[in-house]
Amino acid sequence: GLCPMPRVSTYIRILVFFSLLVFIPVLVTSYVNYRSEKGVIEKEYSRQLEDLVNGVAPQLDGDLIDTIRRGKDGEIIGQAAFDDTLGIFLRILELRGLSRGENPLYVFRPADEFDSSGQLEYVVMTSLNRRGNYYVGLPYPPLPEQLRGLAGESSVTGIYSDYAGTWISAIAPIYDSKQTVVGIVQANFPVDYLYQQLQANTWQGLKIALFSLLLCGVPALLFARSIVKPIRALVEATRRFANNELEYR
């Protein structure tokens, strides 16, 4: 037959109840604070980035962008178009008092094998790779917001991470002279430090919860013992009287 479930003593139940009574509210408060602070970060920077890309996109020439390629020998084909687009990026960043390193701007478009690979590729960028070169043609796995941009919809991401860091990004479509979407412009804002600080604050809240649990463990232990002891005495007395041990006190 089935093995009987082990009985959990009243003492353990009371101890667990009071432990959860302390731990759960602190845990819930930490989670709510995390979600709230994360939402504030996303809302504050998303609005600025969206305004940036919506101002940049109409200034970009989609016909020129379509001519920019990476050659077989690593050279940039359509160098003049690349320089013109990069120049627009740099002027806008300067006017807004932003840094090309901390607030990078990019142009992406579907890679040549997009239908099969689903990859985008970098076309123009304000940042350089570790070798100090522009990385035209480098593939990039698309975000859902980037795909919406290719469908003609401006959008903003939440906080996300990729191989280069943790970001909030805004995306807007780029049109050619036939009003066809040929790519997207994307503005990034790095939130590595802010996100790490947010996570650190959350972990601090969890540590406080654990400390509170330990701190309240002793009083809960004594309280549980003070309740369980008379209950056990009453149970024992009832059992004795049921066995006609009337002299039991």
Side-chain angles (χ1 to χ4, degrees):
L2 296 175
C3 296
M5 293 291 291
R7 296 181 61 185
V8 179
S9 69
T10 305
Y11 174 77
I12 297 298
R13 290 177 183 177
I14 293 174
L15 186 59
V16 170
F17 172 76
F18 277 97
S19 298
L20 293 177
L21 200 62
V22 172
F23 185 72
I24 290 178
V26 179
L27 184 64
V28 170
T29 301
S30 297
Y31 176 75
V32 170
N33 287 339
Y34 169 79
R35 296 293 302 178
S36 175
E37 292 181 28
K38 184 170 180 282
V40 169
I41 292 173
E42 290 178 341
K43 184 176 181 180
E44 179 179 353
Y45 293 105
S46 294
R47 186 167 51 247
Q48 298 176 23
L49 291 171
E50 190 172 24
D51 178 60
L52 176 59
V53 294
N54 286 332
V56 172
Q59 301 186 46
L60 302 180
D61 187 333
D63 295 323
L64 286 180
I65 286 172
D66 199 40
T67 66
I68 302 170
R69 303 281 170 181
R70 172 69 68 180
K72 293 182 179 180
D73 297 326
E75 78 282 10
I76 297 177
I77 298 173
Q79 183 70 57
F82 178 91
D83 291 341
D84 287 345
T85 306
L86 179 60
I88 293 172
F89 281 171
L90 296 179
R91 284 195 299 274
I92 290 175
L93 289 177
E94 184 178 2
L95 287 172
R96 292 174 177 256
L98 301 175
S99 164
R100 63 186 293 177
E102 294 183 359
N103 305 99
L105 287 169
Y106 306 95
V107 170
F108 290 95
R109 68 167 167 237
D112 290 338
E113 304 295 329
F114 179 74
D115 290 339
S116 58
S117 70
Q119 298 280 303
L120 302 182
E121 66 179 8
Y122 289 91
V123 184
V124 182
M125 65 292 304
T126 57
S127 57
L128 303 173
N129 63 18
R130 294 179 180 177
R131 297 180 179 179
N133 300 320
Y134 294 109
Y135 36 99
V136 177
L138 185 71
Y140 187 86
L143 301 169
E145 293 81 6
Q146 291 175 318
L147 296 178
R148 288 203 292 270
L150 292 174
E153 178 185 346
S154 297
S155 59
V156 181
T157 71
I159 295 175
Y160 71 96
S161 297
D162 62 12
Y163 67 90
T166 303
W167 314 88
I168 294 176
S169 300
I171 295 101
I174 301 171
Y175 295 90
D176 64 10
S177 57
K178 298 179 181 178
Q179 292 304 299
T180 300
V181 177
V182 294
I184 55 173
V185 58
Q186 177 171 319
N188 288 2
F189 182 82
V191 293
D192 300 73
Y193 174 75
L194 295 174
Y195 196 49
Q196 289 170 6
Q197 196 66 33
L198 177 59
Q199 291 179 319
N201 291 341
T202 303
W203 279 113
Q204 185 66 24
L206 293 177
K207 289 177 184 177
I208 292 173
L210 291 173
F211 178 74
S212 300
L213 184 61
L214 294 174
L215 190 64
C216 295
V218 174
L221 186 66
L222 296 175
F223 182 72
R225 183 173 295 175
S226 68
I227 292 178
V228 171
K229 188 175 181 180
I231 292 176
R232 284 178 174 172
L234 181 61
V235 170
E236 179 63 17
T238 303
R239 188 184 66 80
R240 293 290 185 94
F241 281 117
N243 292 333
N244 291 322
E245 299 180 26
L246 303 180
E247 300 83 6
Y248 176 77
R249 293 289 187 269

